[in-house]
Amino acid sequence: MAVAYRFKVPKTMNSGSDTLQKAGGDPEATPFPWFALQVRTQHERGVAEFLRGGGFDWFLPLYKCRKRWSDRVKEVEVPLFPGYLFCRFNPHDRLPILKTPGVIQIVGYNRQPVEIDETEISAIQTLVGSGMSSQPWPYLYVGDKVQIESGPLQGMSGILTNFKGKHRLIVSVTLLQRAVAVEIDTALVTPHRVTEEKRDARAYAQQRPMPVAI
């Protein structure tokens, strides 16, 4: 089961940092984007608590798993994305984030932070809020993309795969090249139109003679 370990900044909280404000100072404006923070392994909660103290809006998705010790088996909550958590902040004022104890870097390219797609964060939040069993999953580059038509995850999109005889929906975070899997009934999903078109095109191409390079 996945759970959300998150602190939402109350409207009345103000630490004096413009990272807490909406873009342009307008409370109705779009908030700052989500970014992924790479942190020291097993320090995710500590970093989250420090960000909470600074008034930042952060998101640390967790899931429950069983760990075996020499004398017992215990169910514990661990990060869905070990070594990472998500945070909203002003990318032009990122020094407070980089100075946070335990933070290694802000994930990006060429030393520039790259924001996480809002829909990907929303999908993960919906998943952990659903209470359905989930687990970390290897990132997939190919596969059929489907949309859930009913149930607690209605409207979510992801990649459908099969593992140990059970179907799972893979929800990915592209920038991190990480993913989360949740069990799903295939009767609840339908393929995306683009996926169907690609499948038809692939089947048609397989019927045609392919050119041979010499």
Side-chain angles (χ1 to χ4, degrees), residues 66-76:
R66 292 181 178 274
K67 287 196 173 184
R68 180 180 297 276
W69 278 267
S70 58
D71 58 340
R72 68 188 186 281
V73 176
K74 185 178 181 181
E75 187 175 68
V76 297

Side-chain angles (χ1 to χ4, degrees), residues 43-56:
H43 286 70
E44 295 89 353
R45 285 183 174 85
V47 172
E49 287 298 322
F50 197 94
L51 293 173
R52 180 188 65 81
F56 292 96

Side-chain angles (χ1 to χ4, degrees), residues 3-4 6 8 34 57-61 86 88 118-131 153 156 171:
V3 295
R6 182 184 180 191
K8 181 68 176 178
W34 288 101
D57 184 9
W58 53 266
F59 176 48
L60 176 60
F86 306 101
R88 286 191 190 273
E118 191 80 24
T119 60
E120 293 184 340
I121 294 294
S122 295
I124 299 297
Q125 291 173 337
T126 299
L127 189 154
V128 299
S130 71
L153 303 182
M156 280 184 58
V171 178

Side-chain angles (χ1 to χ4, degrees), residues 18 28 33 47 53 55 73 78 100 107 143-144 147 152 162 168 174 181:
D18 64 353
E28 300 301 324
V47 172
V73 176
V78 295
T100 299
V107 179
D144 288 342
Q147 179 170 315
N162 187 285
R168 284 177 167 82
T174 306

Side-chain angles (χ1 to χ4, degrees), residues 120-189:
E120 293 184 340
I121 294 294
S122 295
I124 299 297
Q125 291 173 337
T126 299
L127 189 154
V128 299
S130 71
M132 300 178 69
S133 177
S134 63
Q135 64 189 85
W137 198 263
Y139 183 80
L140 301 179
Y141 291 92
V142 295
D144 288 342
K145 192 171 185 180
V146 299
Q147 179 170 315
I148 300 178
E149 298 297 332
S150 61
L153 303 182
Q154 182 176 2
M156 280 184 58
S157 297
I159 299 172
L160 185 68
T161 188
N162 187 285
F163 181 69
K164 293 184 178 180
K166 295 183 179 180
H167 289 92
R168 284 177 167 82
L169 181 74
I170 309 301
V171 178
S172 303
V173 177
T174 306
L175 181 62
L176 299 185
Q177 294 195 354
R178 300 292 181 89
V180 177
V182 59
E183 290 186 12
I184 191 69
D185 184 349
T186 54
L188 303 179
V189 304

